[in-house]
Amino acid sequence: MKILVYGAGVLGSLYAARLHDAGHDVSLLARGDRLTSLRERGVLLAENDSKKITQVPVPAVESPAGKYDLILVFVRSHQVETVLEQLVGNDGDVLFLVNWAGGPEPLAAAIGRERVLLGFGNQGGTMDGDIVRYGRRTLLTRLVSMPIGELDGQTTPRVQRILQMLRSAGFTAKAEPRMDAWLKTHAAFEVPLAQAVHTAGGPDALASDRGALRGMIGLIRQNLEALPTRPVPRAFSAVRVLPDGVLVALFRLLLRSTAAAPLGTTSAAASGELELLTEQVGGFARGR
């Protein structure tokens, strides 16, 4: 299977490198200085703050032109429209591993419903110049599976092939029959959290502000109540009923952990994604 990873940020670079190390025929799409760096040095990986840097010679391309069996899309949600325009002429299956609460219809309308799969990457990290710094794999990260699924919820042979491919590269992955609901639930949770972090001035500052945490929890509950279907995974339903004090304590643990580092990102790309996700969540919250 010939694979293209579209997007050379943290996740795209990490997944491309792991797939390459596992022996898969994979190329990584990038542009500008990032493309130059990848062609000269490959993907550079380091665990957290480690000084040990691993160099993975993933082939880098600047266009999705060519024949690919599978395209993994790792971009910010507000960049999806541009990606769709470039994938119209490609015949490969497209797995969107993107923060996306706008439903599958815009994706299917642009490139064909039969080509679209939905998913969400379960690995985190940050860019340190050209170095991808990723978190250490823990028991928790091994237990939290990367969900992927067909639009109709069936576990098809192509889903099975993709799962096998991801697992061969060391990723924990599973078939999710309600992937659209999963993405909407994730956004219902993430948007108030990201907005509260931004307003407070960072994860640590938010963790210390009990009033802001209670306000954020209230917004998350409103979003979950407005979902057109029940939350997926079901565990998110607990946010509706757990006492504020318990949720405040849990969010404080989250915000003071390494998992909260990406929430402090204030780049234009992160802001653009949050703006679109806010609009998408607002759409189903208004009953659209």
Side-chain angles (χ1 to χ4, degrees):
M1 181 161 53
K2 190 173 181 181
I3 305 161
L4 175 67
V5 175
Y6 194 122
V10 172
L11 288 179
S13 298
L14 183 59
Y15 275 73
R18 293 285 186 255
L19 289 167
H20 181 274
D21 280 346
H24 295 283
D25 182 0
V26 58
S27 298
L28 179 57
L29 188 147
R31 296 188 176 88
D33 293 342
R34 183 65 178 145
L35 175 63
T36 301
S37 173
L38 289 168
R39 285 178 168 171
E40 291 178 350
R41 300 190 291 169
V43 176
L44 304 177
L45 301 176
E47 186 179 280
N48 293 324
D49 296 326
S50 173
K51 294 182 179 180
K52 180 182 178 181
I53 298 173
T54 302
Q55 187 175 7
V56 185
V58 181
V61 298
E62 59 184 331
S63 165
K67 184 171 178 55
Y68 295 97
D69 301 300
L70 177 65
I71 301 171
L72 307 180
V73 178
F74 290 99
V75 298
R76 297 283 189 175
S77 55
H78 67 291
Q79 298 167 328
V80 167
E81 184 175 351
T82 300
V83 174
L84 290 171
E85 293 172 356
Q86 299 206 7
L87 296 184
V88 170
N90 191 293
D91 294 330
D93 296 329
V94 185
L95 173 54
F96 289 90
L97 296 154
V98 179
N99 250 342
W100 187 259
E105 292 79 12
L107 312 178
I111 64 172
R113 186 177 180 86
E114 72 284 353
R115 295 179 59 195
V116 176
L117 301 101
L118 300 176
F120 194 84
N122 67 341
Q123 191 81 27
T126 58
M127 293 297 297
D128 178 9
D130 288 328
I131 302 170
V132 176
R133 295 197 174 275
Y134 60 93
R136 180 189 298 273
R137 287 180 62 78
T138 64
L139 176 60
L140 179 60
T141 59
R142 289 188 179 96
L143 291 174
V144 178
S145 295
M146 169 186 181
I148 70 167
E150 297 277 8
L151 300 191
D152 62 5
Q154 295 186 49
T155 303
T156 60
R158 70 171 174 177
V159 166
Q160 294 285 15
R161 288 195 298 271
I162 295 170
L163 290 174
Q164 184 178 7
M165 175 198 74
L166 292 167
R167 290 164 182 166
S168 74
F171 297 106
T172 306
K174 69 172 184 178
E176 171 51 64
R178 303 185 65 215
M179 197 62 231
D180 180 47
W182 192 104
L183 289 168
K184 284 183 168 69
T185 302
H186 181 270
F189 175 90
E190 183 185 20
V191 166
L193 176 59
Q195 290 173 335
V197 168
H198 177 73
T199 301
D204 286 336
L206 178 58
S208 301
D209 189 335
R210 181 179 292 270
L213 284 171
R214 288 180 179 274
M216 177 197 74
I217 290 166
L219 290 175
I220 292 174
R221 284 173 170 157
Q222 289 178 26
N223 288 343
L224 292 176
E225 289 291 340
L227 285 172
T229 61
R230 63 172 174 78
V232 179
R234 290 184 180 181
F236 278 91
S237 298
V239 177
R240 298 173 173 176
V241 296
L242 284 174
D244 280 5
V246 173
L247 291 173
V248 166
L250 291 173
F251 275 109
R252 279 179 168 171
L253 288 174
L254 169 65
L255 291 164
R256 288 170 176 159
S257 71
T258 56
L263 292 171
T265 303
T266 56
S267 67
S271 298
E273 177 170 76
L274 180 59
E275 182 177 347
L276 179 59
L277 285 173
T278 301
E279 180 182 331
Q280 291 177 340
V281 170
F284 66 69
R286 290 189 297 271
R288 292 182 181 175

